[in-house]
Amino acid sequence: MPPSPRRIALRLQYDGAAFAGSQLQRGRPTVQAALEDACLALSGAPHRADFASRTDAGVHATGQVAAVTTTSTLALTRWVGGLNHFLPPAVAVQAAREVPLEFNPRRWATARTYAYHLRVSPVRQPLWESRAWVLTAPLDVSRMEAALAPLEGEHDFASFASRSPPSGTVRTVDEARLHASAPTFRFHLRAQSFLPQQVRRTVGQVVRIGRGAAEPTVVARLLAEPRCGAAGPAAPPQGLVLVHVRYALAELQEWDHDDEDVRGPER
């Protein structure tokens, strides 16, 4: 009798600079391709990996969640150690848990948390430039905090999206905060789901306000008059980290905390 199928959730950390994004793209390196190749090498059978969140080229993760369905009888510890043996250095499995067969990491997510890192310096910062947006001009923290406040709650966030998905552009942001300890700054945004590039375009607009190029009141206007892409250029990808994906699932309760995000070198 053949083994029964199992659904295995995997918590991933990766350096997005090595990939063209998380999802499969023909002829380009992606996190999904790397994970599926490792699953094949480990088990001898092809597997499709489903992801909780789509991350763009250059975006990092400490708490991405993927899931595969398998008939392999390998222990969960082998799925961690074995996959890490076959994965490239830029991506690693942090933990594995068996979950219900119907588990969908994208649809079952109840919250996603992203962090975005900034560094202010008048000179180049080689050890930070792959992990943060390095700026030369000072930032006004009070202006940025005032700009973030209206973003919490349910709104039409079309102005902060690169495109409008089939599900529409209304989302609920549970938290939009700035943690400032100059010369480093970290944005913390949490919602059940985000629009394409919503976090990076939010940061880009708030930084413009912090530099004095726009007033904090522009955020309320962008929400009141939603127009796709109106918030302007997105912040660069290397400062963004998918920190955590939350589920109301007993098997994943010990993952129910924000993983430590990649902050770069100490000051």
Side-chain angles (χ1 to χ4, degrees), residues 13-24:
Q13 180 180 135
Y14 51 84
D15 180 343
F19 301 103
S22 59
Q23 303 298 305
L24 283 177

Side-chain angles (χ1 to χ4, degrees), residues 17-70:
F19 301 103
S22 59
Q23 303 298 305
L24 283 177
Q25 299 178 49
R26 186 182 299 276
R28 305 186 71 190
T30 65
V31 182
Q32 184 178 353
L35 181 59
E36 290 180 356
D37 287 349
C39 288
L40 175 61
L42 175 65
S43 69
H47 292 76
R48 174 186 169 82
D50 300 310
F51 280 64
S53 292
R54 180 188 294 269
T55 56
D56 293 335
V59 175
H60 313 295
T62 57
Q64 175 73 275
V65 175
V68 297
T69 299
T70 185

Side-chain angles (χ1 to χ4, degrees), residues 218-238:
V218 74
V219 172
R221 179 173 60 78
L222 288 166
L223 294 172
E225 303 171 9
R227 182 169 55 86
C228 198
Q238 72 273 11

Side-chain angles (χ1 to χ4, degrees), residues 70-248:
T70 185
T71 55
S72 169
T73 58
L74 288 171
L76 291 176
T77 53
R78 290 286 306 281
W79 278 94
V80 177
L83 288 177
N84 286 339
H85 175 77
F86 292 110
L87 283 165
V91 57
V93 176
Q94 305 298 297
R97 296 291 182 270
E98 195 158 341
V99 291
L101 277 176
E102 63 271 22
F103 173 69
N104 184 307
R106 180 177 63 84
R107 294 177 180 171
W108 287 31
T110 60
R112 294 166 172 85
T113 301
Y114 283 89
Y116 193 96
H117 301 92
L118 300 172
R119 174 84 170 183
V120 175
S121 172
V123 296
R124 291 181 58 239
Q125 299 284 291
L127 295 183
W128 279 86
E129 286 166 2
S130 65
R131 291 290 182 275
W133 184 8
V134 179
L135 302 166
T136 56
L139 296 170
D140 187 315
V141 173
S142 62
R143 288 171 62 89
M144 292 194 293
E145 290 176 336
L148 286 169
L151 293 168
E152 294 187 350
E154 183 180 88
H155 304 284
D156 187 333
F157 285 98
S159 296
F160 298 88
S162 60
R163 57 183 174 82
S164 178
S167 58
T169 53
V170 174
R171 295 291 186 274
T172 299
V173 171
D174 300 313
E175 185 175 358
R177 294 284 186 268
L178 173 65
H179 304 275
S181 181
T184 60
F185 301 81
R186 180 168 61 95
F187 291 90
H188 184 95
L189 289 98
R190 176 168 50 86
Q192 183 175 4
S193 64
F194 291 93
L195 298 171
Q197 292 193 353
Q198 181 180 340
V199 175
R200 288 170 55 202
R201 287 176 180 267
T202 297
V203 172
Q205 181 64 61
V206 173
V207 167
R208 288 187 69 242
I209 292 166
R211 286 168 154 174
E215 292 301 315
T217 53
V218 74
V219 172
R221 179 173 60 78
L222 288 166
L223 294 172
E225 303 171 9
R227 182 169 55 86
C228 198
Q238 72 273 11
L240 185 59
V241 183
L242 173 58
V243 174
H244 178 238
V245 184
R246 179 176 297 169
Y247 298 94

